[in-house]
mmCIF file of all heavy atoms in Angstrom:
data_model
loop_
_atom_site.group_PDB
_atom_site.id
_atom_site.type_symbol
_atom_site.label_atom_id
_atom_site.label_comp_id
_atom_site.label_asym_id
_atom_site.label_seq_id
_atom_site.Cartn_x
_atom_site.Cartn_y
_atom_site.Cartn_z
ATOM 1 N N MET A 1 -9.234 -14.550 -6.074
ATOM 2 C CA MET A 1 -8.531 -13.709 -5.127
ATOM 3 C C MET A 1 -8.363 -12.309 -5.729
ATOM 4 O O MET A 1 -7.977 -12.160 -6.873
ATOM 5 C CB MET A 1 -7.171 -14.335 -4.807
ATOM 6 C CG MET A 1 -6.420 -13.575 -3.744
ATOM 7 S SD MET A 1 -4.821 -14.309 -3.350
ATOM 8 C CE MET A 1 -5.352 -15.774 -2.521
ATOM 9 N N GLU A 2 -8.655 -11.316 -4.946
ATOM 10 C CA GLU A 2 -8.600 -9.936 -5.415
ATOM 11 C C GLU A 2 -7.227 -9.332 -5.120
ATOM 12 O O GLU A 2 -6.682 -9.484 -4.037
ATOM 13 C CB GLU A 2 -9.678 -9.133 -4.699
ATOM 14 C CG GLU A 2 -9.817 -7.732 -5.219
ATOM 15 C CD GLU A 2 -10.971 -7.013 -4.547
ATOM 16 O OE1 GLU A 2 -11.988 -7.663 -4.274
ATOM 17 O OE2 GLU A 2 -10.813 -5.814 -4.284
ATOM 18 N N HIS A 3 -6.660 -8.634 -6.107
ATOM 19 C CA HIS A 3 -5.373 -7.961 -5.919
ATOM 20 C C HIS A 3 -5.606 -6.494 -5.619
ATOM 21 O O HIS A 3 -6.529 -5.878 -6.138
ATOM 22 C CB HIS A 3 -4.503 -8.095 -7.163
ATOM 23 C CG HIS A 3 -3.933 -9.468 -7.339
ATOM 24 N ND1 HIS A 3 -3.303 -10.143 -6.335
ATOM 25 C CD2 HIS A 3 -3.898 -10.285 -8.411
ATOM 26 C CE1 HIS A 3 -2.896 -11.311 -6.776
ATOM 27 N NE2 HIS A 3 -3.264 -11.436 -8.037
ATOM 28 N N THR A 4 -4.754 -5.919 -4.789
ATOM 29 C CA THR A 4 -4.840 -4.524 -4.389
ATOM 30 C C THR A 4 -3.615 -3.803 -4.918
ATOM 31 O O THR A 4 -2.487 -4.282 -4.758
ATOM 32 C CB THR A 4 -4.869 -4.416 -2.850
ATOM 33 O OG1 THR A 4 -5.941 -5.219 -2.364
ATOM 34 C CG2 THR A 4 -5.077 -2.995 -2.407
ATOM 35 N N VAL A 5 -3.800 -2.647 -5.559
ATOM 36 C CA VAL A 5 -2.685 -1.861 -6.091
ATOM 37 C C VAL A 5 -2.211 -0.904 -5.008
ATOM 38 O O VAL A 5 -3.000 -0.151 -4.443
ATOM 39 C CB VAL A 5 -3.100 -1.090 -7.366
ATOM 40 C CG1 VAL A 5 -1.942 -0.278 -7.896
ATOM 41 C CG2 VAL A 5 -3.608 -2.059 -8.417
ATOM 42 N N VAL A 6 -0.901 -0.951 -4.715
ATOM 43 C CA VAL A 6 -0.314 -0.139 -3.654
ATOM 44 C C VAL A 6 0.946 0.564 -4.159
ATOM 45 O O VAL A 6 1.508 0.192 -5.183
ATOM 46 C CB VAL A 6 0.029 -0.995 -2.413
ATOM 47 C CG1 VAL A 6 -1.214 -1.551 -1.765
ATOM 48 C CG2 VAL A 6 0.995 -2.104 -2.749
ATOM 49 N N ARG A 7 1.363 1.588 -3.403
ATOM 50 C CA ARG A 7 2.598 2.314 -3.712
ATOM 51 C C ARG A 7 3.477 2.293 -2.468
ATOM 52 O O ARG A 7 3.030 2.628 -1.371
ATOM 53 C CB ARG A 7 2.295 3.763 -4.091
ATOM 54 C CG ARG A 7 3.538 4.584 -4.407
ATOM 55 C CD ARG A 7 3.211 6.032 -4.715
ATOM 56 N NE ARG A 7 2.123 6.187 -5.649
ATOM 57 C CZ ARG A 7 2.272 6.226 -6.978
ATOM 58 N NH1 ARG A 7 3.455 6.116 -7.507
ATOM 59 N NH2 ARG A 7 1.224 6.379 -7.750
ATOM 60 N N CYS A 8 4.763 1.930 -2.634
ATOM 61 C CA CYS A 8 5.668 1.879 -1.488
ATOM 62 C C CYS A 8 6.263 3.263 -1.233
ATOM 63 O O CYS A 8 6.088 4.186 -2.028
ATOM 64 C CB CYS A 8 6.770 0.833 -1.692
ATOM 65 S SG CYS A 8 8.179 1.360 -2.652
ATOM 66 N N ALA A 9 6.989 3.393 -0.143
ATOM 67 C CA ALA A 9 7.577 4.673 0.247
ATOM 68 C C ALA A 9 8.615 5.159 -0.759
ATOM 69 O O ALA A 9 8.881 6.353 -0.844
ATOM 70 C CB ALA A 9 8.215 4.545 1.629
ATOM 71 N N GLU A 10 9.184 4.263 -1.545
ATOM 72 C CA GLU A 10 10.152 4.636 -2.576
ATOM 73 C C GLU A 10 9.462 5.035 -3.885
ATOM 74 O O GLU A 10 10.131 5.456 -4.820
ATOM 75 C CB GLU A 10 11.113 3.469 -2.836
ATOM 76 C CG GLU A 10 12.011 3.166 -1.661
ATOM 77 C CD GLU A 10 13.010 4.274 -1.392
ATOM 78 O OE1 GLU A 10 13.599 4.809 -2.349
ATOM 79 O OE2 GLU A 10 13.186 4.599 -0.203
ATOM 80 N N GLY A 11 8.138 4.859 -3.961
ATOM 81 C CA GLY A 11 7.393 5.254 -5.153
ATOM 82 C C GLY A 11 7.080 4.127 -6.118
ATOM 83 O O GLY A 11 6.509 4.366 -7.177
ATOM 84 N N HIS A 12 7.463 2.918 -5.799
ATOM 85 C CA HIS A 12 7.182 1.780 -6.673
ATOM 86 C C HIS A 12 5.725 1.354 -6.532
ATOM 87 O O HIS A 12 5.227 1.219 -5.428
ATOM 88 C CB HIS A 12 8.087 0.598 -6.326
ATOM 89 C CG HIS A 12 9.539 0.922 -6.407
ATOM 90 N ND1 HIS A 12 10.426 0.583 -5.408
ATOM 91 C CD2 HIS A 12 10.251 1.563 -7.354
ATOM 92 C CE1 HIS A 12 11.628 0.997 -5.756
ATOM 93 N NE2 HIS A 12 11.550 1.604 -6.938
ATOM 94 N N VAL A 13 5.061 1.160 -7.658
ATOM 95 C CA VAL A 13 3.659 0.727 -7.671
ATOM 96 C C VAL A 13 3.629 -0.757 -8.015
ATOM 97 O O VAL A 13 4.267 -1.186 -8.973
ATOM 98 C CB VAL A 13 2.838 1.536 -8.696
ATOM 99 C CG1 VAL A 13 1.408 1.036 -8.762
ATOM 100 C CG2 VAL A 13 2.871 3.010 -8.341
ATOM 101 N N PHE A 14 2.894 -1.528 -7.224
ATOM 102 C CA PHE A 14 2.765 -2.958 -7.470
ATOM 103 C C PHE A 14 1.441 -3.443 -6.906
ATOM 104 O O PHE A 14 0.775 -2.733 -6.167
ATOM 105 C CB PHE A 14 3.945 -3.745 -6.879
ATOM 106 C CG PHE A 14 4.111 -3.610 -5.390
ATOM 107 C CD1 PHE A 14 3.602 -4.561 -4.532
ATOM 108 C CD2 PHE A 14 4.789 -2.522 -4.854
ATOM 109 C CE1 PHE A 14 3.766 -4.438 -3.162
ATOM 110 C CE2 PHE A 14 4.968 -2.392 -3.489
ATOM 111 C CZ PHE A 14 4.447 -3.351 -2.640
ATOM 112 N N SER A 15 1.056 -4.645 -7.280
ATOM 113 C CA SER A 15 -0.181 -5.217 -6.753
ATOM 114 C C SER A 15 0.165 -6.317 -5.764
ATOM 115 O O SER A 15 1.197 -6.975 -5.874
ATOM 116 C CB SER A 15 -1.053 -5.768 -7.876
ATOM 117 O OG SER A 15 -0.433 -6.880 -8.471
ATOM 118 N N THR A 16 -0.714 -6.495 -4.810
ATOM 119 C CA THR A 16 -0.516 -7.506 -3.784
ATOM 120 C C THR A 16 -1.827 -8.234 -3.532
ATOM 121 O O THR A 16 -2.898 -7.641 -3.668
ATOM 122 C CB THR A 16 0.020 -6.873 -2.477
ATOM 123 O OG1 THR A 16 0.211 -7.894 -1.508
ATOM 124 C CG2 THR A 16 -0.914 -5.822 -1.931
ATOM 125 N N ALA A 17 -1.711 -9.498 -3.193
ATOM 126 C CA ALA A 17 -2.906 -10.294 -2.912
ATOM 127 C C ALA A 17 -3.425 -10.030 -1.512
ATOM 128 O O ALA A 17 -4.585 -10.253 -1.215
ATOM 129 C CB ALA A 17 -2.601 -11.774 -3.087
ATOM 130 N N SER A 18 -2.546 -9.541 -0.631
ATOM 131 C CA SER A 18 -2.989 -9.288 0.741
ATOM 132 C C SER A 18 -2.576 -7.883 1.172
ATOM 133 O O SER A 18 -1.452 -7.457 0.938
ATOM 134 C CB SER A 18 -2.374 -10.317 1.688
ATOM 135 O OG SER A 18 -0.984 -10.127 1.770
ATOM 136 N N PHE A 19 -3.503 -7.176 1.770
ATOM 137 C CA PHE A 19 -3.240 -5.868 2.363
ATOM 138 C C PHE A 19 -3.790 -5.964 3.773
ATOM 139 O O PHE A 19 -4.987 -5.830 3.984
ATOM 140 C CB PHE A 19 -3.917 -4.751 1.564
ATOM 141 C CG PHE A 19 -3.450 -3.380 1.944
ATOM 142 C CD1 PHE A 19 -2.162 -2.969 1.645
ATOM 143 C CD2 PHE A 19 -4.287 -2.509 2.611
ATOM 144 C CE1 PHE A 19 -1.729 -1.703 1.985
ATOM 145 C CE2 PHE A 19 -3.862 -1.243 2.952
ATOM 146 C CZ PHE A 19 -2.579 -0.834 2.642
ATOM 147 N N PRO A 20 -2.927 -6.258 4.763
ATOM 148 C CA PRO A 20 -3.377 -6.588 6.120
ATOM 149 C C PRO A 20 -4.303 -5.550 6.738
ATOM 150 O O PRO A 20 -4.039 -4.356 6.642
ATOM 151 C CB PRO A 20 -2.080 -6.687 6.915
ATOM 152 C CG PRO A 20 -0.997 -6.804 5.926
ATOM 153 C CD PRO A 20 -1.495 -6.187 4.666
ATOM 154 N N MET A 21 -5.365 -6.040 7.338
ATOM 155 C CA MET A 21 -6.313 -5.207 8.077
ATOM 156 C C MET A 21 -6.767 -3.973 7.288
ATOM 157 O O MET A 21 -6.645 -2.853 7.741
ATOM 158 C CB MET A 21 -5.728 -4.807 9.426
ATOM 159 C CG MET A 21 -5.480 -5.988 10.316
ATOM 160 S SD MET A 21 -4.946 -5.540 11.949
ATOM 161 C CE MET A 21 -3.321 -4.917 11.676
ATOM 162 N N GLN A 22 -7.265 -4.189 6.107
ATOM 163 C CA GLN A 22 -7.711 -3.109 5.230
ATOM 164 C C GLN A 22 -8.800 -2.259 5.866
ATOM 165 O O GLN A 22 -8.879 -1.069 5.613
ATOM 166 C CB GLN A 22 -8.236 -3.705 3.925
ATOM 167 C CG GLN A 22 -7.676 -3.060 2.723
ATOM 168 C CD GLN A 22 -8.041 -3.819 1.466
ATOM 169 O OE1 GLN A 22 -8.485 -4.950 1.503
ATOM 170 N NE2 GLN A 22 -7.841 -3.204 0.343
ATOM 171 N N GLN A 23 -9.622 -2.843 6.696
ATOM 172 C CA GLN A 23 -10.755 -2.130 7.281
ATOM 173 C C GLN A 23 -10.411 -1.409 8.581
ATOM 174 O O GLN A 23 -11.235 -0.711 9.131
ATOM 175 C CB GLN A 23 -11.907 -3.114 7.546
ATOM 176 C CG GLN A 23 -12.344 -3.882 6.314
ATOM 177 C CD GLN A 23 -12.806 -2.987 5.196
ATOM 178 O OE1 GLN A 23 -13.436 -1.978 5.436
ATOM 179 N NE2 GLN A 23 -12.475 -3.342 3.978
ATOM 180 N N ALA A 24 -9.186 -1.553 9.078
ATOM 181 C CA ALA A 24 -8.797 -0.952 10.357
ATOM 182 C C ALA A 24 -8.339 0.488 10.152
ATOM 183 O O ALA A 24 -7.163 0.768 10.006
ATOM 184 C CB ALA A 24 -7.696 -1.781 11.008
ATOM 185 N N GLU A 25 -9.291 1.414 10.123
ATOM 186 C CA GLU A 25 -8.978 2.823 9.879
ATOM 187 C C GLU A 25 -8.184 3.454 11.016
ATOM 188 O O GLU A 25 -7.420 4.381 10.811
ATOM 189 C CB GLU A 25 -10.261 3.606 9.639
ATOM 190 C CG GLU A 25 -10.939 3.247 8.339
ATOM 191 C CD GLU A 25 -12.208 4.042 8.138
ATOM 192 O OE1 GLU A 25 -12.332 5.116 8.743
ATOM 193 O OE2 GLU A 25 -13.055 3.578 7.379
ATOM 194 N N ARG A 26 -8.327 2.952 12.213
ATOM 195 C CA ARG A 26 -7.649 3.557 13.356
ATOM 196 C C ARG A 26 -6.138 3.372 13.286
ATOM 197 O O ARG A 26 -5.391 4.058 13.970
ATOM 198 C CB ARG A 26 -8.188 2.996 14.666
ATOM 199 C CG ARG A 26 -7.937 1.533 14.852
ATOM 200 C CD ARG A 26 -8.581 1.015 16.133
ATOM 201 N NE ARG A 26 -8.464 -0.409 16.231
ATOM 202 C CZ ARG A 26 -7.419 -1.042 16.723
ATOM 203 N NH1 ARG A 26 -6.405 -0.362 17.178
ATOM 204 N NH2 ARG A 26 -7.390 -2.354 16.762
ATOM 205 N N LEU A 27 -5.673 2.437 12.459
ATOM 206 C CA LEU A 27 -4.239 2.204 12.313
ATOM 207 C C LEU A 27 -3.600 3.106 11.259
ATOM 208 O O LEU A 27 -2.391 3.103 11.109
ATOM 209 C CB LEU A 27 -3.970 0.737 11.959
ATOM 210 C CG LEU A 27 -4.409 -0.283 12.996
ATOM 211 C CD1 LEU A 27 -4.187 -1.687 12.462
ATOM 212 C CD2 LEU A 27 -3.667 -0.078 14.286
ATOM 213 N N GLY A 28 -4.414 3.855 10.525
ATOM 214 C CA GLY A 28 -3.889 4.708 9.468
ATOM 215 C C GLY A 28 -3.849 3.977 8.137
ATOM 216 O O GLY A 28 -4.078 2.775 8.069
ATOM 217 N N PRO A 29 -3.538 4.683 7.066
ATOM 218 C CA PRO A 29 -3.596 4.087 5.730
ATOM 219 C C PRO A 29 -2.392 3.222 5.371
ATOM 220 O O PRO A 29 -2.466 2.399 4.498
ATOM 221 C CB PRO A 29 -3.674 5.299 4.811
ATOM 222 C CG PRO A 29 -2.958 6.372 5.566
ATOM 223 C CD PRO A 29 -3.270 6.118 7.013
ATOM 224 N N GLY A 30 -1.249 3.387 6.033
ATOM 225 C CA GLY A 30 -0.034 2.670 5.667
ATOM 226 C C GLY A 30 0.083 1.307 6.319
ATOM 227 O O GLY A 30 -0.376 1.084 7.425
ATOM 228 N N ARG A 31 0.712 0.383 5.617
ATOM 229 C CA ARG A 31 0.998 -0.954 6.132
ATOM 230 C C ARG A 31 2.418 -1.314 5.720
ATOM 231 O O ARG A 31 2.946 -0.770 4.759
ATOM 232 C CB ARG A 31 0.042 -2.005 5.539
ATOM 233 C CG ARG A 31 -1.418 -1.740 5.801
ATOM 234 C CD ARG A 31 -1.765 -1.963 7.270
ATOM 235 N NE ARG A 31 -3.158 -1.770 7.503
ATOM 236 C CZ ARG A 31 -3.709 -0.625 7.857
ATOM 237 N NH1 ARG A 31 -2.978 0.445 8.019
ATOM 238 N NH2 ARG A 31 -5.010 -0.524 8.064
ATOM 239 N N LEU A 32 3.023 -2.246 6.410
ATOM 240 C CA LEU A 32 4.348 -2.731 6.041
ATOM 241 C C LEU A 32 4.223 -3.977 5.185
ATOM 242 O O LEU A 32 3.635 -4.970 5.605
ATOM 243 C CB LEU A 32 5.175 -3.065 7.285
ATOM 244 C CG LEU A 32 5.769 -1.891 8.035
ATOM 245 C CD1 LEU A 32 6.482 -2.394 9.286
ATOM 246 C CD2 LEU A 32 6.723 -1.109 7.176
ATOM 247 N N LEU A 33 4.755 -3.907 3.973
ATOM 248 C CA LEU A 33 4.787 -5.047 3.060
ATOM 249 C C LEU A 33 6.151 -5.078 2.386
ATOM 250 O O LEU A 33 6.819 -4.049 2.277
ATOM 251 C CB LEU A 33 3.712 -4.929 1.975
ATOM 252 C CG LEU A 33 2.274 -5.106 2.390
ATOM 253 C CD1 LEU A 33 1.359 -4.886 1.201
ATOM 254 C CD2 LEU A 33 2.051 -6.485 2.952
ATOM 255 N N ARG A 34 6.534 -6.238 1.896
ATOM 256 C CA ARG A 34 7.791 -6.350 1.172
ATOM 257 C C ARG A 34 7.578 -5.923 -0.269
ATOM 258 O O ARG A 34 6.786 -6.501 -1.004
ATOM 259 C CB ARG A 34 8.314 -7.782 1.221
ATOM 260 C CG ARG A 34 9.694 -7.926 0.618
ATOM 261 C CD ARG A 34 10.336 -9.245 0.941
ATOM 262 N NE ARG A 34 10.410 -9.511 2.363
ATOM 263 C CZ ARG A 34 11.365 -9.055 3.177
ATOM 264 N NH1 ARG A 34 12.305 -8.284 2.702
ATOM 265 N NH2 ARG A 34 11.361 -9.367 4.455
ATOM 266 N N CYS A 35 8.303 -4.885 -0.684
ATOM 267 C CA CYS A 35 8.220 -4.384 -2.059
ATOM 268 C C CYS A 35 9.031 -5.305 -2.966
ATOM 269 O O CYS A 35 10.194 -5.594 -2.670
ATOM 270 C CB CYS A 35 8.770 -2.957 -2.129
ATOM 271 S SG CYS A 35 8.852 -2.294 -3.804
ATOM 272 N N PRO A 36 8.458 -5.754 -4.074
ATOM 273 C CA PRO A 36 9.203 -6.646 -4.969
ATOM 274 C C PRO A 36 10.354 -5.944 -5.694
ATOM 275 O O PRO A 36 11.307 -6.582 -6.097
ATOM 276 C CB PRO A 36 8.142 -7.140 -5.956
ATOM 277 C CG PRO A 36 7.034 -6.166 -5.869
ATOM 278 C CD PRO A 36 7.085 -5.556 -4.510
ATOM 279 N N ARG A 37 10.292 -4.633 -5.848
ATOM 280 C CA ARG A 37 11.370 -3.892 -6.522
ATOM 281 C C ARG A 37 12.514 -3.580 -5.569
ATOM 282 O O ARG A 37 13.677 -3.679 -5.930
ATOM 283 C CB ARG A 37 10.826 -2.588 -7.108
ATOM 284 C CG ARG A 37 9.688 -2.781 -8.075
ATOM 285 C CD ARG A 37 9.967 -2.596 -9.537
ATOM 286 N NE ARG A 37 11.044 -1.796 -9.975
ATOM 287 C CZ ARG A 37 10.960 -0.556 -10.440
ATOM 288 N NH1 ARG A 37 9.799 0.066 -10.455
ATOM 289 N NH2 ARG A 37 12.018 0.062 -10.892
ATOM 290 N N CYS A 38 12.209 -3.161 -4.336
ATOM 291 C CA CYS A 38 13.237 -2.821 -3.342
ATOM 292 C C CYS A 38 13.759 -4.064 -2.628
ATOM 293 O O CYS A 38 14.869 -4.049 -2.106
ATOM 294 C CB CYS A 38 12.675 -1.910 -2.250
ATOM 295 S SG CYS A 38 11.901 -0.420 -2.782
ATOM 296 N N ALA A 39 12.934 -5.094 -2.536
ATOM 297 C CA ALA A 39 13.211 -6.315 -1.781
ATOM 298 C C ALA A 39 13.393 -6.023 -0.296
ATOM 299 O O ALA A 39 14.154 -6.678 0.395
ATOM 300 C CB ALA A 39 14.426 -7.055 -2.339
ATOM 301 N N ARG A 40 12.690 -5.000 0.195
ATOM 302 C CA ARG A 40 12.735 -4.644 1.610
ATOM 303 C C ARG A 40 11.322 -4.387 2.107
ATOM 304 O O ARG A 40 10.421 -4.107 1.331
ATOM 305 C CB ARG A 40 13.548 -3.365 1.823
ATOM 306 C CG ARG A 40 14.984 -3.506 1.469
ATOM 307 C CD ARG A 40 15.710 -2.251 1.779
ATOM 308 N NE ARG A 40 17.129 -2.440 1.513
ATOM 309 C CZ ARG A 40 18.020 -1.531 1.734
ATOM 310 N NH1 ARG A 40 17.680 -0.349 2.194
ATOM 311 N NH2 ARG A 40 19.288 -1.775 1.476
ATOM 312 N N LEU A 41 11.170 -4.447 3.435
ATOM 313 C CA LEU A 41 9.891 -4.068 4.015
ATOM 314 C C LEU A 41 9.740 -2.562 3.896
ATOM 315 O O LEU A 41 10.617 -1.805 4.321
ATOM 316 C CB LEU A 41 9.809 -4.484 5.486
ATOM 317 C CG LEU A 41 9.511 -5.944 5.761
ATOM 318 C CD1 LEU A 41 9.554 -6.193 7.251
ATOM 319 C CD2 LEU A 41 8.178 -6.343 5.194
ATOM 320 N N ARG A 42 8.665 -2.118 3.309
ATOM 321 C CA ARG A 42 8.410 -0.692 3.116
ATOM 322 C C ARG A 42 6.993 -0.370 3.566
ATOM 323 O O ARG A 42 6.106 -1.211 3.541
ATOM 324 C CB ARG A 42 8.540 -0.295 1.643
ATOM 325 C CG ARG A 42 9.888 -0.502 1.050
ATOM 326 C CD ARG A 42 10.795 0.604 1.442
ATOM 327 N NE ARG A 42 12.053 0.447 0.711
ATOM 328 C CZ ARG A 42 13.164 1.028 1.075
ATOM 329 N NH1 ARG A 42 13.188 1.799 2.128
ATOM 330 N NH2 ARG A 42 14.254 0.848 0.395
ATOM 331 N N SER A 43 6.781 0.857 3.936
ATOM 332 C CA SER A 43 5.439 1.330 4.223
ATOM 333 C C SER A 43 4.730 1.520 2.887
ATOM 334 O O SER A 43 5.267 2.168 1.980
ATOM 335 C CB SER A 43 5.504 2.657 4.977
ATOM 336 O OG SER A 43 4.213 3.166 5.162
ATOM 337 N N VAL A 44 3.548 0.949 2.755
ATOM 338 C CA VAL A 44 2.788 1.066 1.514
ATOM 339 C C VAL A 44 1.404 1.643 1.799
ATOM 340 O O VAL A 44 0.870 1.489 2.893
ATOM 341 C CB VAL A 44 2.648 -0.293 0.781
ATOM 342 C CG1 VAL A 44 3.993 -0.845 0.392
ATOM 343 C CG2 VAL A 44 1.900 -1.293 1.603
ATOM 344 N N VAL A 45 0.856 2.331 0.805
ATOM 345 C CA VAL A 45 -0.502 2.867 0.892
ATOM 346 C C VAL A 45 -1.252 2.459 -0.365
ATOM 347 O O VAL A 45 -0.655 2.209 -1.408
ATOM 348 C CB VAL A 45 -0.522 4.409 1.035
ATOM 349 C CG1 VAL A 45 0.050 4.836 2.361
ATOM 350 C CG2 VAL A 45 0.194 5.079 -0.098
ATOM 351 N N LEU A 46 -2.556 2.393 -0.247
ATOM 352 C CA LEU A 46 -3.394 2.086 -1.406
ATOM 353 C C LEU A 46 -3.290 3.208 -2.428
ATOM 354 O O LEU A 46 -3.316 4.387 -2.063
ATOM 355 C CB LEU A 46 -4.848 1.931 -0.977
ATOM 356 C CG LEU A 46 -5.177 0.751 -0.090
ATOM 357 C CD1 LEU A 46 -6.601 0.870 0.424
ATOM 358 C CD2 LEU A 46 -4.983 -0.541 -0.841
ATOM 359 N N VAL A 47 -3.200 2.871 -3.693
ATOM 360 C CA VAL A 47 -3.110 3.881 -4.743
ATOM 361 C C VAL A 47 -4.424 4.645 -4.851
ATOM 362 O O VAL A 47 -4.433 5.857 -4.985
ATOM 363 C CB VAL A 47 -2.717 3.244 -6.093
ATOM 364 C CG1 VAL A 47 -2.804 4.247 -7.217
ATOM 365 C CG2 VAL A 47 -1.309 2.687 -6.001
ATOM 366 N N ALA A 48 -5.567 3.966 -4.747
ATOM 367 C CA ALA A 48 -6.870 4.632 -4.825
ATOM 368 C C ALA A 48 -7.043 5.605 -3.670
ATOM 369 O O ALA A 48 -7.573 6.699 -3.849
ATOM 370 C CB ALA A 48 -7.990 3.603 -4.825
ATOM 371 N N LEU A 49 -6.585 5.256 -2.493
ATOM 372 C CA LEU A 49 -6.667 6.134 -1.326
ATOM 373 C C LEU A 49 -5.777 7.347 -1.517
ATOM 374 O O LEU A 49 -6.146 8.462 -1.185
ATOM 375 C CB LEU A 49 -6.260 5.370 -0.063
ATOM 376 C CG LEU A 49 -6.263 6.169 1.231
ATOM 377 C CD1 LEU A 49 -7.681 6.611 1.564
ATOM 378 C CD2 LEU A 49 -5.692 5.351 2.364
ATOM 379 N N GLU A 50 -4.606 7.156 -2.099
ATOM 380 C CA GLU A 50 -3.671 8.243 -2.346
ATOM 381 C C GLU A 50 -4.295 9.278 -3.284
ATOM 382 O O GLU A 50 -4.169 10.469 -3.072
ATOM 383 C CB GLU A 50 -2.419 7.647 -2.984
ATOM 384 C CG GLU A 50 -1.182 8.446 -2.783
ATOM 385 C CD GLU A 50 0.007 7.676 -3.291
ATOM 386 O OE1 GLU A 50 0.091 7.468 -4.524
ATOM 387 O OE2 GLU A 50 0.840 7.286 -2.471
ATOM 388 N N LYS A 51 -4.998 8.835 -4.334
ATOM 389 C CA LYS A 51 -5.645 9.744 -5.277
ATOM 390 C C LYS A 51 -6.744 10.524 -4.577
ATOM 391 O O LYS A 51 -6.929 11.709 -4.816
ATOM 392 C CB LYS A 51 -6.213 8.975 -6.450
ATOM 393 C CG LYS A 51 -5.165 8.459 -7.404
ATOM 394 C CD LYS A 51 -5.809 7.710 -8.540
ATOM 395 C CE LYS A 51 -4.760 7.132 -9.456
ATOM 396 N NZ LYS A 51 -5.351 6.368 -10.553
ATOM 397 N N ALA A 52 -7.504 9.874 -3.713
ATOM 398 C CA ALA A 52 -8.600 10.541 -3.007
ATOM 399 C C ALA A 52 -8.085 11.624 -2.075
ATOM 400 O O ALA A 52 -8.685 12.681 -1.943
ATOM 401 C CB ALA A 52 -9.425 9.526 -2.223
ATOM 402 N N VAL A 53 -6.961 11.399 -1.437
ATOM 403 C CA VAL A 53 -6.385 12.383 -0.514
ATOM 404 C C VAL A 53 -5.866 13.592 -1.270
ATOM 405 O O VAL A 53 -6.049 14.717 -0.847
ATOM 406 C CB VAL A 53 -5.268 11.728 0.332
ATOM 407 C CG1 VAL A 53 -4.483 12.767 1.104
ATOM 408 C CG2 VAL A 53 -5.853 10.700 1.268
ATOM 409 N N THR A 54 -5.231 13.388 -2.426
ATOM 410 C CA THR A 54 -4.678 14.513 -3.182
ATOM 411 C C THR A 54 -5.770 15.352 -3.845
ATOM 412 O O THR A 54 -5.563 16.530 -4.099
ATOM 413 C CB THR A 54 -3.689 14.022 -4.262
ATOM 414 O OG1 THR A 54 -4.353 13.097 -5.122
ATOM 415 C CG2 THR A 54 -2.467 13.384 -3.629
ATOM 416 N N GLU A 55 -6.923 14.775 -4.121
ATOM 417 C CA GLU A 55 -8.015 15.522 -4.731
ATOM 418 C C GLU A 55 -8.691 16.459 -3.753
ATOM 419 O O GLU A 55 -9.293 17.443 -4.129
ATOM 420 C CB GLU A 55 -9.043 14.556 -5.318
ATOM 421 C CG GLU A 55 -8.543 13.848 -6.564
ATOM 422 C CD GLU A 55 -9.545 12.839 -7.076
ATOM 423 O OE1 GLU A 55 -10.605 12.658 -6.430
ATOM 424 O OE2 GLU A 55 -9.274 12.233 -8.113
ATOM 425 N N GLN A 56 -8.605 16.193 -2.448
ATOM 426 C CA GLN A 56 -9.291 17.017 -1.458
ATOM 427 C C GLN A 56 -8.569 18.306 -1.185
ATOM 428 O O GLN A 56 -7.501 18.590 -1.344
ATOM 429 C CB GLN A 56 -9.445 16.259 -0.157
ATOM 430 C CG GLN A 56 -10.433 15.147 -0.293
ATOM 431 C CD GLN A 56 -10.572 14.377 1.038
ATOM 432 O OE1 GLN A 56 -9.883 14.626 2.010
ATOM 433 N NE2 GLN A 56 -11.491 13.440 1.037
#
């Protein structure tokens, strides 16, 4: 099983086994997942995607 590294809206970086609908670009880059540090549902984005956006 492949893990995906994500960052939540509070800035916490963690890995997750599931990132729902990764290929659905029309929904935007963010997804709602439970952050293990906040223990709340947070909007998360892929860390690799975040780096690509800031480089442009």
Side-chain angles (χ1 to χ4, degrees):
M1 184 180 290
E2 187 176 324
H3 286 311
T4 305
V5 180
V6 294
R7 179 183 313 271
C8 83
E10 293 292 317
H12 303 132
V13 177
F14 60 97
S15 67
T16 181
S18 67
F19 192 69
M21 297 186 290
Q22 229 171 346
Q23 304 301 323
E25 291 180 23
R26 64 184 174 85
L27 298 175
R31 301 289 183 268
L32 283 176
L33 289 177
R34 187 167 305 277
C35 175
R37 303 254 336 258
C38 305
R40 295 183 176 182
L41 282 176
R42 298 281 187 199
S43 175
V44 299
V45 293
L46 293 171
V47 172
L49 179 65
E50 205 172 67
K51 287 180 183 179
V53 169
T54 57
E55 288 177 357
Q56 290 180 356

